[in-house]
Amino acid sequence: MALMNNYARLPVAFVRGEGAWLYDESGRKYLDALAGIAVCGLGHSHPAVTHALQAQASKLLHTSNLYEIPEQTALSDDLCRLSGLDAALFCNSGAEANEAAIKLARLHGHSRGIAEPKILVFTQSFHGRTLAALTATGNRKIQAGFAPLVPGFVRAPYGDLATVQGMLAADPEIVAVLVEPVQGEGGVRPAPVGFLHGLRKLCDQHEALLMCDEVQTGIGRTGHYFAFQHEKGLLPDVLCLAKGLGNGVPIGAIVARQAAADLFGPGKHGSTFGGGPLVCAAARAVLRTMEAEDIPTRAAAMGELLQNRLRERFSEHPAVEEVRGLGLMVGVVLRHEPQDFVRRALDAGVLLNVTAGRVIRLLPPLIFTSEQVDLLVDTLVGLLQEEA
Ligand SMILES: *Cc1c(COP(=O)(O)O)cnc(C)c1O
């Protein structure tokens, strides 16, 4: 085996995909309720994305950020228009987007004359696997073995505004708050209603940046283009994106308000690959398709249908504690850690994930149909019969 033993992989390889279906080497098909971990929002092999990639690949793949990249500029315009923010900077993954946000927060602190600025993060959070991102992550297992961690982070319980208020009041070195509007890896936990508004107000009072990690929740997943848009009138200072943005090509971004964006002058940050013509062409096709077909609204409707069906079938179920989520980011919280659940689901022809030990995480493509919702729910009913 030449591969490092870093992933506990399931014993299946897919060779082809179409919409919400994946096909293995033997031709067996699987219903994909994970979408490559919230990546393939438009499903597999979407013709608009395929066409954009083919057309761009035949023209130009890469030039670097030493030159103008028209596809990148246009994508930035799209993201600013959809988010209400002012400027974008591109990278290649979610962890990198968060690294850029963390660097921006430190520049913001230094611009305020704070030599050792701190960033407030939350329990159960997940922000990625690079050193600063895993330090920000609220999960000891992810940090274990990688000390020394990065200094400059403090942590509050997720959803607990009073504690955040106390911490910001007590510590003038806190210059930013980094938050997932719905925690994904941490167990599909939506923030309490009003939490982001409360954070916005506190950040304004303390001249801190509100930075939303929407790497998983962004690009239509929760029923709006961005999950912060569930709270009317709210704008973060920094928005971190990746996963769904490229529908499978590696692209990440931060989008920021002007004052925060201006902290990054020439030479402050960069990426050789970031925002190249190929991935930006794909991401533009993703956004164009989402706008033409109003995919976020569809995700909201399918998410509601999925959550309603799950509650109908599981509200009295002895193995199920709760169904929760937002849009097509849905968790079925079990009372106990299931054994081999992901493998048994695979055997039953459904791809899903279990996170935080006992939360079945469903992240289907946003183009999921009501028939696919029914098939998914029926399969879960069968699988959970064995858990009761
Ligand atoms: C997946 C994820 C990341 C990390 O993204 P990578 O592309 O794997 O680096 C960061 N934040 C959140 C909220 C995520 O879900």
Side-chain angles (χ1 to χ4, degrees), residues 127-189:
H127 298 296
R129 302 287 194 150
T130 55
L131 269 176
L134 76 85
T135 304
T137 292
N139 183 335
R140 285 270 159 73
K141 273 194 219 160
I142 284 171
Q143 297 171 339
F146 300 110
L149 300 183
V150 175
F153 291 92
V154 293
R155 197 175 304 281
Y158 187 64
D160 181 351
L161 262 187
T163 298
V164 176
Q165 182 171 23
M167 289 171 74
L168 279 164
D171 189 346
E173 292 187 332
I174 299 174
V175 299
V177 173
L178 177 63
V179 62
E180 293 161 272
V182 182
Q183 291 188 323
E185 306 295 313
V188 194
R189 299 167 198 268

Side-chain angles (χ1 to χ4, degrees), residues 93-96 98 126-128 180 185 213 215-216 242-243:
S93 69
E96 272 182 81
N98 287 326
F126 181 79
H127 298 296
E180 293 161 272
E185 306 295 313
D213 179 352
V215 168
Q216 189 160 154
K243 293 196 167 98

Side-chain angles (χ1 to χ4, degrees), residues 51-63 70-71 277-278 281 284 288:
H51 179 261
L53 283 168
Q54 287 173 339
Q56 187 59 48
S58 67
K59 282 193 289 190
L60 186 64
L61 285 182
H62 176 79
T63 57
E71 294 78 13
L278 187 76
R284 288 190 69 205
R288 213 181 302 124

Side-chain angles (χ1 to χ4, degrees), residues 72-240:
Q72 185 186 116
T73 312
L75 176 60
S76 179
D77 288 345
D78 291 341
L79 288 172
C80 291
R81 179 170 49 77
L82 292 172
S83 66
L85 296 166
D86 299 314
L89 174 68
F90 294 94
C91 55
N92 314 285
S93 69
E96 272 182 81
N98 287 326
E99 292 283 335
I102 290 163
K103 285 178 72 175
L104 206 58
R106 287 190 169 183
L107 286 176
H108 172 66
H110 293 151
S111 78
R112 290 183 47 211
I114 297 165
E116 306 240 324
K118 294 174 195 160
I119 299 170
L120 192 149
V121 293
F122 291 96
T123 51
Q124 298 131 25
S125 61
F126 181 79
H127 298 296
R129 302 287 194 150
T130 55
L131 269 176
L134 76 85
T135 304
T137 292
N139 183 335
R140 285 270 159 73
K141 273 194 219 160
I142 284 171
Q143 297 171 339
F146 300 110
L149 300 183
V150 175
F153 291 92
V154 293
R155 197 175 304 281
Y158 187 64
D160 181 351
L161 262 187
T163 298
V164 176
Q165 182 171 23
M167 289 171 74
L168 279 164
D171 189 346
E173 292 187 332
I174 299 174
V175 299
V177 173
L178 177 63
V179 62
E180 293 161 272
V182 182
Q183 291 188 323
E185 306 295 313
V188 194
R189 299 167 198 268
V193 173
F195 185 55
L196 289 186
H197 262 303
L199 293 179
R200 178 69 274 173
K201 212 168 124 196
L202 290 171
C203 285
D204 288 342
Q205 282 166 7
H206 294 276
E207 286 180 75
L209 299 179
L210 177 60
M211 311 198 297
C212 287
D213 179 352
E214 295 228 27
V215 168
Q216 189 160 154
T217 53
I219 318 297
R221 173 60 51 190
T222 69
H224 283 297
Y225 280 98
F226 309 105
F228 76 78
Q229 293 169 329
H230 286 273
E231 295 203 28
K232 281 218 162 39
L234 182 133
L235 268 188
D237 296 289
V238 180
L239 174 66
C240 304

Side-chain angles (χ1 to χ4, degrees), residues 42 46-53 75 78 245 279-291:
L42 295 179
H46 192 286
V49 180
T50 304
H51 179 261
L53 283 168
L75 176 60
D78 291 341
L245 181 54
V279 293
C280 287
R284 288 190 69 205
V286 169
L287 296 179
R288 213 181 302 124
T289 305
M290 289 211 171
E291 290 198 77

Side-chain angles (χ1 to χ4, degrees), residues 345-368:
L346 178 75
D347 292 342
V350 168
L351 306 181
L352 47 71
N353 173 248
V354 172
T355 189
R358 57 189 178 93
V359 182
I360 301 169
R361 180 166 56 155
L362 307 172
L363 299 164
L366 310 182
I367 47 105
F368 228 49

